[in-house]
Amino acid sequence: MVSVFGAGAIGLVLAARLARAGHDVRVCTRREEDAERIAASGIDVEEPETGARWNARPSTIAGAPRGEREVIFACVRGPDARAAAATLAAASPHALLVNVQNGVDGDAIFAERFARVIGAVIRHNCTRVYANFARAQSYGRIAVGAHPEGAGADVDAVAALLRSAGY
């Protein structure tokens, strides 16, 4: 199971791409009604430059994943990183945390609470239109690496997971 914590534009598109690639994905939303909408209809993604529109159906929950020991992609804005780190560490302290943001500043914040943090700097133009619908360029780029530096088998595994989803 892979969890995506945060259902903004990046979280929706990342979860949908991972689910479409065949991974068992759970989207963790802030609001119960958003989780219900995604559960009922899946996530719709539109790629305007290609005209493609597709749907993926990950599982959903409102709140943080509990007891997770596998990968959690934290897709939150920089100012929300500290609160997200506290919430996720309380719920799943042994998870491998992948911080997905536009920069690397949040990595240190998550590292205060998690033994291992992988930073994933993302460049993917996305817009959340509704709770379960996003517009995105068909191709995004993500650079991954362990915080504060380095590589490892877990970094390679996260990179392979992201490549399988088209990044």
Side-chain angles (χ1 to χ4, degrees):
M1 170 74 62
V2 174
S3 295
V4 176
F5 182 79
I10 293 294
L12 286 176
V13 174
L14 176 61
R17 289 178 82 167
L18 288 167
R20 184 173 72 162
H23 300 286
D24 187 13
V25 179
R26 173 180 38 213
V27 177
C28 306
T29 68
R30 189 178 333 173
R31 292 179 286 278
E32 182 68 38
E33 60 269 17
D34 291 349
E36 290 171 0
R37 182 178 229 171
I38 294 168
S41 302
I43 299 171
D44 291 317
V45 177
E46 179 181 73
E47 298 170 348
E49 78 275 9
T50 65
R53 186 168 176 148
W54 47 273
N55 180 275
R57 295 199 170 257
S59 64
T60 61
I61 62 169
R66 299 253 173 233
E68 193 67 44
R69 291 188 169 270
E70 296 181 29
V71 177
I72 297 175
F73 288 95
C75 299
V76 299
R77 293 183 177 136
D80 299 330
R82 193 159 306 281
T87 298
L88 290 170
S92 293
H94 304 293
L96 174 61
L97 195 289
V98 181
N99 176 43
V100 182
Q101 292 181 340
N102 288 329
V104 296
D105 294 339
D107 296 354
I109 293 169
F110 284 100
E112 293 171 4
R113 304 226 179 215
F114 287 89
R116 182 81 162 155
V117 173
I118 295 176
V121 179
I122 188 163
R123 297 287 185 242
H124 197 171
N125 292 336
C126 303
T127 302
R128 180 178 180 231
V129 180
Y130 304 113
N132 68 324
F133 175 48
R135 283 193 185 96
Q137 288 182 325
S138 56
Y139 298 102
R141 294 174 295 161
I142 300 178
V144 297
H147 174 79
E149 60 184 48
D154 54 355
V155 175
D156 293 341
V158 167
L161 184 67
L162 293 167
R163 271 194 303 276
S164 74
Y167 287 100

PDB file of all heavy atoms in Angstrom, residues 35-73:
ATOM      1  N   ALA A  35     -13.037  12.711   0.610  1.00  0.00           N
ATOM      2  CA  ALA A  35     -12.772  11.268   0.583  1.00  0.00           C
ATOM      3  C   ALA A  35     -13.960  10.518  -0.013  1.00  0.00           C
ATOM      4  O   ALA A  35     -13.788   9.601  -0.816  1.00  0.00           O
ATOM      5  CB  ALA A  35     -12.461  10.755   1.986  1.00  0.00           C
ATOM      6  N   GLU A  36     -15.155  10.919   0.362  1.00  0.00           N
ATOM      7  CA  GLU A  36     -16.368  10.269  -0.166  1.00  0.00           C
ATOM      8  C   GLU A  36     -16.506  10.483  -1.669  1.00  0.00           C
ATOM      9  O   GLU A  36     -16.877   9.562  -2.398  1.00  0.00           O
ATOM     10  CB  GLU A  36     -17.603  10.791   0.565  1.00  0.00           C
ATOM     11  CG  GLU A  36     -17.674  10.325   2.011  1.00  0.00           C
ATOM     12  CD  GLU A  36     -18.767  11.011   2.819  1.00  0.00           C
ATOM     13  OE1 GLU A  36     -19.505  11.868   2.270  1.00  0.00           O
ATOM     14  OE2 GLU A  36     -18.872  10.693   4.021  1.00  0.00           O
ATOM     15  N   ARG A  37     -16.197  11.683  -2.138  1.00  0.00           N
ATOM     16  CA  ARG A  37     -16.312  11.971  -3.574  1.00  0.00           C
ATOM     17  C   ARG A  37     -15.311  11.134  -4.379  1.00  0.00           C
ATOM     18  O   ARG A  37     -15.646  10.585  -5.424  1.00  0.00           O
ATOM     19  CB  ARG A  37     -16.098  13.458  -3.831  1.00  0.00           C
ATOM     20  CG  ARG A  37     -16.252  13.832  -5.278  1.00  0.00           C
ATOM     21  CD  ARG A  37     -16.090  15.318  -5.464  1.00  0.00           C
ATOM     22  NE  ARG A  37     -17.211  15.767  -6.265  1.00  0.00           N
ATOM     23  CZ  ARG A  37     -17.502  17.010  -6.491  1.00  0.00           C
ATOM     24  NH1 ARG A  37     -16.809  17.971  -5.951  1.00  0.00           N
ATOM     25  NH2 ARG A  37     -18.519  17.330  -7.260  1.00  0.00           N
ATOM     26  N   ILE A  38     -14.079  11.049  -3.878  1.00  0.00           N
ATOM     27  CA  ILE A  38     -13.073  10.244  -4.566  1.00  0.00           C
ATOM     28  C   ILE A  38     -13.456   8.768  -4.524  1.00  0.00           C
ATOM     29  O   ILE A  38     -13.332   8.046  -5.521  1.00  0.00           O
ATOM     30  CB  ILE A  38     -11.673  10.482  -3.966  1.00  0.00           C
ATOM     31  CG1 ILE A  38     -11.232  11.928  -4.253  1.00  0.00           C
ATOM     32  CG2 ILE A  38     -10.660   9.489  -4.522  1.00  0.00           C
ATOM     33  CD1 ILE A  38     -10.004  12.353  -3.469  1.00  0.00           C
ATOM     34  N   ALA A  39     -13.958   8.308  -3.374  1.00  0.00           N
ATOM     35  CA  ALA A  39     -14.378   6.902  -3.264  1.00  0.00           C
ATOM     36  C   ALA A  39     -15.507   6.586  -4.238  1.00  0.00           C
ATOM     37  O   ALA A  39     -15.547   5.512  -4.838  1.00  0.00           O
ATOM     38  CB  ALA A  39     -14.811   6.598  -1.833  1.00  0.00           C
ATOM     39  N   ALA A  40     -16.433   7.514  -4.414  1.00  0.00           N
ATOM     40  CA  ALA A  40     -17.592   7.282  -5.289  1.00  0.00           C
ATOM     41  C   ALA A  40     -17.249   7.357  -6.768  1.00  0.00           C
ATOM     42  O   ALA A  40     -17.776   6.580  -7.566  1.00  0.00           O
ATOM     43  CB  ALA A  40     -18.689   8.293  -4.961  1.00  0.00           C
ATOM     44  N   SER A  41     -16.367   8.288  -7.143  1.00  0.00           N
ATOM     45  CA  SER A  41     -16.145   8.559  -8.566  1.00  0.00           C
ATOM     46  C   SER A  41     -14.713   8.407  -9.039  1.00  0.00           C
ATOM     47  O   SER A  41     -14.428   8.574 -10.217  1.00  0.00           O
ATOM     48  CB  SER A  41     -16.597   9.986  -8.892  1.00  0.00           C
ATOM     49  OG  SER A  41     -17.950  10.159  -8.572  1.00  0.00           O
ATOM     50  N   GLY A  42     -13.786   8.143  -8.125  1.00  0.00           N
ATOM     51  CA  GLY A  42     -12.388   8.071  -8.512  1.00  0.00           C
ATOM     52  C   GLY A  42     -11.817   9.467  -8.719  1.00  0.00           C
ATOM     53  O   GLY A  42     -12.436  10.470  -8.366  1.00  0.00           O
ATOM     54  N   ILE A  43     -10.630   9.509  -9.297  1.00  0.00           N
ATOM     55  CA  ILE A  43      -9.968  10.773  -9.615  1.00  0.00           C
ATOM     56  C   ILE A  43      -9.928  10.916 -11.123  1.00  0.00           C
ATOM     57  O   ILE A  43      -9.416  10.040 -11.824  1.00  0.00           O
ATOM     58  CB  ILE A  43      -8.527  10.817  -9.059  1.00  0.00           C
ATOM     59  CG1 ILE A  43      -8.527  10.692  -7.536  1.00  0.00           C
ATOM     60  CG2 ILE A  43      -7.815  12.104  -9.496  1.00  0.00           C
ATOM     61  CD1 ILE A  43      -7.138  10.509  -6.939  1.00  0.00           C
ATOM     62  N   ASP A  44     -10.460  12.019 -11.626  1.00  0.00           N
ATOM     63  CA  ASP A  44     -10.387  12.337 -13.045  1.00  0.00           C
ATOM     64  C   ASP A  44      -9.201  13.246 -13.282  1.00  0.00           C
ATOM     65  O   ASP A  44      -9.003  14.225 -12.555  1.00  0.00           O
ATOM     66  CB  ASP A  44     -11.653  13.056 -13.514  1.00  0.00           C
ATOM     67  CG  ASP A  44     -12.863  12.146 -13.518  1.00  0.00           C
ATOM     68  OD1 ASP A  44     -12.733  10.990 -13.968  1.00  0.00           O
ATOM     69  OD2 ASP A  44     -13.927  12.578 -13.066  1.00  0.00           O
ATOM     70  N   VAL A  45      -8.416  12.929 -14.301  1.00  0.00           N
ATOM     71  CA  VAL A  45      -7.281  13.757 -14.686  1.00  0.00           C
ATOM     72  C   VAL A  45      -7.446  14.107 -16.157  1.00  0.00           C
ATOM     73  O   VAL A  45      -7.720  13.242 -16.988  1.00  0.00           O
ATOM     74  CB  VAL A  45      -5.931  13.046 -14.456  1.00  0.00           C
ATOM     75  CG1 VAL A  45      -4.770  13.912 -14.942  1.00  0.00           C
ATOM     76  CG2 VAL A  45      -5.754  12.691 -12.986  1.00  0.00           C
ATOM     77  N   GLU A  46      -7.271  15.378 -16.450  1.00  0.00           N
ATOM     78  CA  GLU A  46      -7.341  15.869 -17.823  1.00  0.00           C
ATOM     79  C   GLU A  46      -5.980  16.434 -18.194  1.00  0.00           C
ATOM     80  O   GLU A  46      -5.380  17.170 -17.408  1.00  0.00           O
ATOM     81  CB  GLU A  46      -8.400  16.960 -17.917  1.00  0.00           C
ATOM     82  CG  GLU A  46      -8.548  17.552 -19.311  1.00  0.00           C
ATOM     83  CD  GLU A  46      -9.588  18.644 -19.312  1.00  0.00           C
ATOM     84  OE1 GLU A  46      -9.302  19.734 -18.773  1.00  0.00           O
ATOM     85  OE2 GLU A  46     -10.684  18.394 -19.835  1.00  0.00           O
ATOM     86  N   GLU A  47      -5.504  16.063 -19.383  1.00  0.00           N
ATOM     87  CA  GLU A  47      -4.232  16.557 -19.895  1.00  0.00           C
ATOM     88  C   GLU A  47      -4.522  17.391 -21.141  1.00  0.00           C
ATOM     89  O   GLU A  47      -4.636  16.850 -22.238  1.00  0.00           O
ATOM     90  CB  GLU A  47      -3.297  15.392 -20.187  1.00  0.00           C
ATOM     91  CG  GLU A  47      -2.957  14.587 -18.943  1.00  0.00           C
ATOM     92  CD  GLU A  47      -2.236  13.284 -19.216  1.00  0.00           C
ATOM     93  OE1 GLU A  47      -2.175  12.852 -20.394  1.00  0.00           O
ATOM     94  OE2 GLU A  47      -1.733  12.696 -18.249  1.00  0.00           O
ATOM     95  N   PRO A  48      -4.700  18.705 -20.973  1.00  0.00           N
ATOM     96  CA  PRO A  48      -5.156  19.549 -22.073  1.00  0.00           C
ATOM     97  C   PRO A  48      -4.292  19.501 -23.331  1.00  0.00           C
ATOM     98  O   PRO A  48      -4.829  19.549 -24.443  1.00  0.00           O
ATOM     99  CB  PRO A  48      -5.151  20.968 -21.471  1.00  0.00           C
ATOM    100  CG  PRO A  48      -5.296  20.751 -20.014  1.00  0.00           C
ATOM    101  CD  PRO A  48      -4.570  19.473 -19.730  1.00  0.00           C
ATOM    102  N   GLU A  49      -2.979  19.400 -23.192  1.00  0.00           N
ATOM    103  CA  GLU A  49      -2.139  19.438 -24.393  1.00  0.00           C
ATOM    104  C   GLU A  49      -2.300  18.200 -25.263  1.00  0.00           C
ATOM    105  O   GLU A  49      -2.078  18.255 -26.466  1.00  0.00           O
ATOM    106  CB  GLU A  49      -0.662  19.713 -24.050  1.00  0.00           C
ATOM    107  CG  GLU A  49       0.126  18.539 -23.521  1.00  0.00           C
ATOM    108  CD  GLU A  49      -0.021  18.323 -22.025  1.00  0.00           C
ATOM    109  OE1 GLU A  49      -0.863  18.954 -21.369  1.00  0.00           O
ATOM    110  OE2 GLU A  49       0.713  17.483 -21.492  1.00  0.00           O
ATOM    111  N   THR A  50      -2.702  17.063 -24.679  1.00  0.00           N
ATOM    112  CA  THR A  50      -2.902  15.844 -25.475  1.00  0.00           C
ATOM    113  C   THR A  50      -4.379  15.545 -25.704  1.00  0.00           C
ATOM    114  O   THR A  50      -4.710  14.710 -26.526  1.00  0.00           O
ATOM    115  CB  THR A  50      -2.281  14.628 -24.764  1.00  0.00           C
ATOM    116  OG1 THR A  50      -2.990  14.388 -23.534  1.00  0.00           O
ATOM    117  CG2 THR A  50      -0.803  14.825 -24.491  1.00  0.00           C
ATOM    118  N   GLY A  51      -5.248  16.206 -24.930  1.00  0.00           N
ATOM    119  CA  GLY A  51      -6.676  15.922 -25.017  1.00  0.00           C
ATOM    120  C   GLY A  51      -7.089  14.691 -24.233  1.00  0.00           C
ATOM    121  O   GLY A  51      -8.253  14.308 -24.239  1.00  0.00           O
ATOM    122  N   ALA A  52      -6.138  14.068 -23.543  1.00  0.00           N
ATOM    123  CA  ALA A  52      -6.448  12.852 -22.786  1.00  0.00           C
ATOM    124  C   ALA A  52      -7.216  13.205 -21.514  1.00  0.00           C
ATOM    125  O   ALA A  52      -6.979  14.222 -20.878  1.00  0.00           O
ATOM    126  CB  ALA A  52      -5.155  12.120 -22.429  1.00  0.00           C
ATOM    127  N   ARG A  53      -8.144  12.332 -21.175  1.00  0.00           N
ATOM    128  CA  ARG A  53      -8.850  12.416 -19.897  1.00  0.00           C
ATOM    129  C   ARG A  53      -9.020  10.989 -19.419  1.00  0.00           C
ATOM    130  O   ARG A  53      -9.473  10.127 -20.173  1.00  0.00           O
ATOM    131  CB  ARG A  53     -10.202  13.098 -20.053  1.00  0.00           C
ATOM    132  CG  ARG A  53     -10.870  13.304 -18.704  1.00  0.00           C
ATOM    133  CD  ARG A  53     -12.064  14.216 -18.792  1.00  0.00           C
ATOM    134  NE  ARG A  53     -12.704  14.288 -17.489  1.00  0.00           N
ATOM    135  CZ  ARG A  53     -13.329  15.338 -17.041  1.00  0.00           C
ATOM    136  NH1 ARG A  53     -13.423  16.414 -17.781  1.00  0.00           N
ATOM    137  NH2 ARG A  53     -13.880  15.325 -15.848  1.00  0.00           N
ATOM    138  N   TRP A  54      -8.646  10.746 -18.180  1.00  0.00           N
ATOM    139  CA  TRP A  54      -8.705   9.390 -17.653  1.00  0.00           C
ATOM    140  C   TRP A  54      -9.081   9.415 -16.182  1.00  0.00           C
ATOM    141  O   TRP A  54      -9.059  10.445 -15.544  1.00  0.00           O
ATOM    142  CB  TRP A  54      -7.395   8.647 -17.893  1.00  0.00           C
ATOM    143  CG  TRP A  54      -6.150   9.404 -17.545  1.00  0.00           C
ATOM    144  CD1 TRP A  54      -5.464  10.261 -18.354  1.00  0.00           C
ATOM    145  CD2 TRP A  54      -5.442   9.385 -16.307  1.00  0.00           C
ATOM    146  NE1 TRP A  54      -4.377  10.774 -17.678  1.00  0.00           N
ATOM    147  CE2 TRP A  54      -4.339  10.252 -16.428  1.00  0.00           C
ATOM    148  CE3 TRP A  54      -5.631   8.713 -15.105  1.00  0.00           C
ATOM    149  CZ2 TRP A  54      -3.435  10.464 -15.391  1.00  0.00           C
ATOM    150  CZ3 TRP A  54      -4.732   8.926 -14.076  1.00  0.00           C
ATOM    151  CH2 TRP A  54      -3.645   9.775 -14.231  1.00  0.00           C
ATOM    152  N   ASN A  55      -9.461   8.246 -15.677  1.00  0.00           N
ATOM    153  CA  ASN A  55      -9.939   8.110 -14.311  1.00  0.00           C
ATOM    154  C   ASN A  55      -9.167   6.995 -13.622  1.00  0.00           C
ATOM    155  O   ASN A  55      -8.877   5.969 -14.229  1.00  0.00           O
ATOM    156  CB  ASN A  55     -11.446   7.780 -14.315  1.00  0.00           C
ATOM    157  CG  ASN A  55     -12.009   7.631 -12.930  1.00  0.00           C
ATOM    158  OD1 ASN A  55     -11.948   6.563 -12.320  1.00  0.00           O
ATOM    159  ND2 ASN A  55     -12.585   8.702 -12.422  1.00  0.00           N
ATOM    160  N   ALA A  56      -8.828   7.225 -12.359  1.00  0.00           N
ATOM    161  CA  ALA A  56      -8.180   6.199 -11.532  1.00  0.00           C
ATOM    162  C   ALA A  56      -8.982   6.060 -10.257  1.00  0.00           C
ATOM    163  O   ALA A  56      -9.610   7.011  -9.799  1.00  0.00           O
ATOM    164  CB  ALA A  56      -6.744   6.594 -11.233  1.00  0.00           C
ATOM    165  N   ARG A  57      -8.954   4.887  -9.657  1.00  0.00           N
ATOM    166  CA  ARG A  57      -9.781   4.624  -8.480  1.00  0.00           C
ATOM    167  C   ARG A  57      -8.959   4.108  -7.303  1.00  0.00           C
ATOM    168  O   ARG A  57      -9.004   2.928  -6.973  1.00  0.00           O
ATOM    169  CB  ARG A  57     -10.869   3.639  -8.836  1.00  0.00           C
ATOM    170  CG  ARG A  57     -11.824   4.243  -9.853  1.00  0.00           C
ATOM    171  CD  ARG A  57     -13.123   3.487  -9.869  1.00  0.00           C
ATOM    172  NE  ARG A  57     -14.105   4.187 -10.642  1.00  0.00           N
ATOM    173  CZ  ARG A  57     -15.094   4.898 -10.131  1.00  0.00           C
ATOM    174  NH1 ARG A  57     -15.230   4.987  -8.837  1.00  0.00           N
ATOM    175  NH2 ARG A  57     -15.952   5.496 -10.911  1.00  0.00           N
ATOM    176  N   PRO A  58      -8.247   5.020  -6.640  1.00  0.00           N
ATOM    177  CA  PRO A  58      -7.554   4.617  -5.415  1.00  0.00           C
ATOM    178  C   PRO A  58      -8.542   4.526  -4.262  1.00  0.00           C
ATOM    179  O   PRO A  58      -9.661   5.023  -4.356  1.00  0.00           O
ATOM    180  CB  PRO A  58      -6.568   5.771  -5.189  1.00  0.00           C
ATOM    181  CG  PRO A  58      -7.276   6.955  -5.763  1.00  0.00           C
ATOM    182  CD  PRO A  58      -8.035   6.425  -6.960  1.00  0.00           C
ATOM    183  N   SER A  59      -8.136   3.894  -3.178  1.00  0.00           N
ATOM    184  CA  SER A  59      -8.960   3.938  -1.972  1.00  0.00           C
ATOM    185  C   SER A  59      -8.750   5.291  -1.302  1.00  0.00           C
ATOM    186  O   SER A  59      -7.806   6.016  -1.634  1.00  0.00           O
ATOM    187  CB  SER A  59      -8.609   2.787  -1.029  1.00  0.00           C
ATOM    188  OG  SER A  59      -7.285   2.910  -0.567  1.00  0.00           O
ATOM    189  N   THR A  60      -9.637   5.644  -0.381  1.00  0.00           N
ATOM    190  CA  THR A  60      -9.533   6.949   0.277  1.00  0.00           C
ATOM    191  C   THR A  60      -9.861   6.830   1.758  1.00  0.00           C
ATOM    192  O   THR A  60     -10.602   5.932   2.176  1.00  0.00           O
ATOM    193  CB  THR A  60     -10.509   7.977  -0.326  1.00  0.00           C
ATOM    194  OG1 THR A  60     -11.835   7.520  -0.144  1.00  0.00           O
ATOM    195  CG2 THR A  60     -10.237   8.212  -1.792  1.00  0.00           C
ATOM    196  N   ILE A  61      -9.291   7.758   2.519  1.00  0.00           N
ATOM    197  CA  ILE A  61      -9.677   7.955   3.913  1.00  0.00           C
ATOM    198  C   ILE A  61      -9.592   9.452   4.199  1.00  0.00           C
ATOM    199  O   ILE A  61      -8.855  10.179   3.527  1.00  0.00           O
ATOM    200  CB  ILE A  61      -8.794   7.184   4.918  1.00  0.00           C
ATOM    201  CG1 ILE A  61      -7.330   7.644   4.844  1.00  0.00           C
ATOM    202  CG2 ILE A  61      -8.914   5.692   4.747  1.00  0.00           C
ATOM    203  CD1 ILE A  61      -6.450   7.128   5.968  1.00  0.00           C
ATOM    204  N   ALA A  62     -10.329   9.899   5.175  1.00  0.00           N
ATOM    205  CA  ALA A  62     -10.176  11.266   5.666  1.00  0.00           C
ATOM    206  C   ALA A  62      -9.220  11.189   6.847  1.00  0.00           C
ATOM    207  O   ALA A  62      -9.414  10.400   7.764  1.00  0.00           O
ATOM    208  CB  ALA A  62     -11.526  11.845   6.085  1.00  0.00           C
ATOM    209  N   GLY A  63      -8.146  11.962   6.805  1.00  0.00           N
ATOM    210  CA  GLY A  63      -7.164  11.959   7.883  1.00  0.00           C
ATOM    211  C   GLY A  63      -5.905  11.227   7.501  1.00  0.00           C
ATOM    212  O   GLY A  63      -5.674  10.907   6.339  1.00  0.00           O
ATOM    213  N   ALA A  64      -5.081  10.945   8.492  1.00  0.00           N
ATOM    214  CA  ALA A  64      -3.773  10.327   8.266  1.00  0.00           C
ATOM    215  C   ALA A  64      -3.873   8.808   8.249  1.00  0.00           C
ATOM    216  O   ALA A  64      -4.715   8.225   8.931  1.00  0.00           O
ATOM    217  CB  ALA A  64      -2.817  10.761   9.373  1.00  0.00           C
ATOM    218  N   PRO A  65      -2.999   8.165   7.473  1.00  0.00           N
ATOM    219  CA  PRO A  65      -2.959   6.701   7.494  1.00  0.00           C
ATOM    220  C   PRO A  65      -2.425   6.220   8.842  1.00  0.00           C
ATOM    221  O   PRO A  65      -1.466   6.785   9.363  1.00  0.00           O
ATOM    222  CB  PRO A  65      -2.010   6.352   6.350  1.00  0.00           C
ATOM    223  CG  PRO A  65      -1.149   7.553   6.201  1.00  0.00           C
ATOM    224  CD  PRO A  65      -1.992   8.734   6.593  1.00  0.00           C
ATOM    225  N   ARG A  66      -3.041   5.217   9.422  1.00  0.00           N
ATOM    226  CA  ARG A  66      -2.676   4.726  10.760  1.00  0.00           C
ATOM    227  C   ARG A  66      -1.816   3.468  10.670  1.00  0.00           C
ATOM    228  O   ARG A  66      -2.172   2.516   9.980  1.00  0.00           O
ATOM    229  CB  ARG A  66      -3.937   4.403  11.552  1.00  0.00           C
ATOM    230  CG  ARG A  66      -4.807   5.608  11.741  1.00  0.00           C
ATOM    231  CD  ARG A  66      -4.728   6.073  13.172  1.00  0.00           C
ATOM    232  NE  ARG A  66      -5.431   7.330  13.317  1.00  0.00           N
ATOM    233  CZ  ARG A  66      -4.887   8.406  13.843  1.00  0.00           C
ATOM    234  NH1 ARG A  66      -3.662   8.375  14.284  1.00  0.00           N
ATOM    235  NH2 ARG A  66      -5.564   9.515  13.944  1.00  0.00           N
ATOM    236  N   GLY A  67      -0.706   3.488  11.381  1.00  0.00           N
ATOM    237  CA  GLY A  67       0.132   2.304  11.488  1.00  0.00           C
ATOM    238  C   GLY A  67       0.863   1.929  10.221  1.00  0.00           C
ATOM    239  O   GLY A  67       1.378   0.819  10.107  1.00  0.00           O
ATOM    240  N   GLU A  68       0.947   2.828   9.288  1.00  0.00           N
ATOM    241  CA  GLU A  68       1.596   2.537   8.008  1.00  0.00           C
ATOM    242  C   GLU A  68       3.089   2.313   8.220  1.00  0.00           C
ATOM    243  O   GLU A  68       3.743   3.052   8.942  1.00  0.00           O
ATOM    244  CB  GLU A  68       1.363   3.712   7.051  1.00  0.00           C
ATOM    245  CG  GLU A  68       1.703   3.423   5.624  1.00  0.00           C
ATOM    246  CD  GLU A  68       0.795   2.401   5.002  1.00  0.00           C
ATOM    247  OE1 GLU A  68      -0.420   2.466   5.183  1.00  0.00           O
ATOM    248  OE2 GLU A  68       1.332   1.513   4.312  1.00  0.00           O
ATOM    249  N   ARG A  69       3.635   1.275   7.584  1.00  0.00           N
ATOM    250  CA  ARG A  69       5.065   1.013   7.643  1.00  0.00           C
ATOM    251  C   ARG A  69       5.687   1.143   6.266  1.00  0.00           C
ATOM    252  O   ARG A  69       6.888   1.019   6.111  1.00  0.00           O
ATOM    253  CB  ARG A  69       5.345  -0.383   8.193  1.00  0.00           C
ATOM    254  CG  ARG A  69       5.000  -0.500   9.660  1.00  0.00           C
ATOM    255  CD  ARG A  69       5.475  -1.842  10.206  1.00  0.00           C
ATOM    256  NE  ARG A  69       5.389  -1.849  11.641  1.00  0.00           N
ATOM    257  CZ  ARG A  69       6.380  -1.470  12.443  1.00  0.00           C
ATOM    258  NH1 ARG A  69       7.497  -1.038  11.946  1.00  0.00           N
ATOM    259  NH2 ARG A  69       6.216  -1.514  13.745  1.00  0.00           N
ATOM    260  N   GLU A  70       4.868   1.362   5.269  1.00  0.00           N
ATOM    261  CA  GLU A  70       5.374   1.485   3.907  1.00  0.00           C
ATOM    262  C   GLU A  70       5.519   2.956   3.544  1.00  0.00           C
ATOM    263  O   GLU A  70       5.748   3.784   4.405  1.00  0.00           O
ATOM    264  CB  GLU A  70       4.450   0.720   2.966  1.00  0.00           C
ATOM    265  CG  GLU A  70       4.456  -0.774   3.283  1.00  0.00           C
ATOM    266  CD  GLU A  70       3.584  -1.586   2.372  1.00  0.00           C
ATOM    267  OE1 GLU A  70       3.394  -1.188   1.211  1.00  0.00           O
ATOM    268  OE2 GLU A  70       3.075  -2.616   2.819  1.00  0.00           O
ATOM    269  N   VAL A  71       5.363   3.285   2.299  1.00  0.00           N
ATOM    270  CA  VAL A  71       5.624   4.634   1.812  1.00  0.00           C
ATOM    271  C   VAL A  71       4.422   5.547   2.009  1.00  0.00           C
ATOM    272  O   VAL A  71       3.288   5.178   1.672  1.00  0.00           O
ATOM    273  CB  VAL A  71       5.998   4.602   0.314  1.00  0.00           C
ATOM    274  CG1 VAL A  71       6.213   6.006  -0.228  1.00  0.00           C
ATOM    275  CG2 VAL A  71       7.244   3.755   0.093  1.00  0.00           C
ATOM    276  N   ILE A  72       4.695   6.733   2.544  1.00  0.00           N
ATOM    277  CA  ILE A  72       3.696   7.804   2.571  1.00  0.00           C
ATOM    278  C   ILE A  72       4.281   8.981   1.806  1.00  0.00           C
ATOM    279  O   ILE A  72       5.350   9.489   2.160  1.00  0.00           O
ATOM    280  CB  ILE A  72       3.358   8.275   4.000  1.00  0.00           C
ATOM    281  CG1 ILE A  72       2.739   7.148   4.819  1.00  0.00           C
ATOM    282  CG2 ILE A  72       2.403   9.478   3.950  1.00  0.00           C
ATOM    283  CD1 ILE A  72       2.484   7.519   6.275  1.00  0.00           C
ATOM    284  N   PHE A  73       3.598   9.382   0.735  1.00  0.00           N
ATOM    285  CA  PHE A  73       3.962  10.592   0.010  1.00  0.00           C
ATOM    286  C   PHE A  73       3.220  11.744   0.666  1.00  0.00           C
ATOM    287  O   PHE A  73       1.991  11.783   0.641  1.00  0.00           O
ATOM    288  CB  PHE A  73       3.559  10.488  -1.465  1.00  0.00           C
ATOM    289  CG  PHE A  73       4.396   9.538  -2.264  1.00  0.00           C
ATOM    290  CD1 PHE A  73       3.985   8.234  -2.456  1.00  0.00           C
ATOM    291  CD2 PHE A  73       5.594   9.960  -2.827  1.00  0.00           C
ATOM    292  CE1 PHE A  73       4.750   7.349  -3.212  1.00  0.00           C
ATOM    293  CE2 PHE A  73       6.371   9.083  -3.574  1.00  0.00           C
ATOM    294  CZ  PHE A  73       5.951   7.776  -3.760  1.00  0.00           C
TER     295      PHE A  73
END
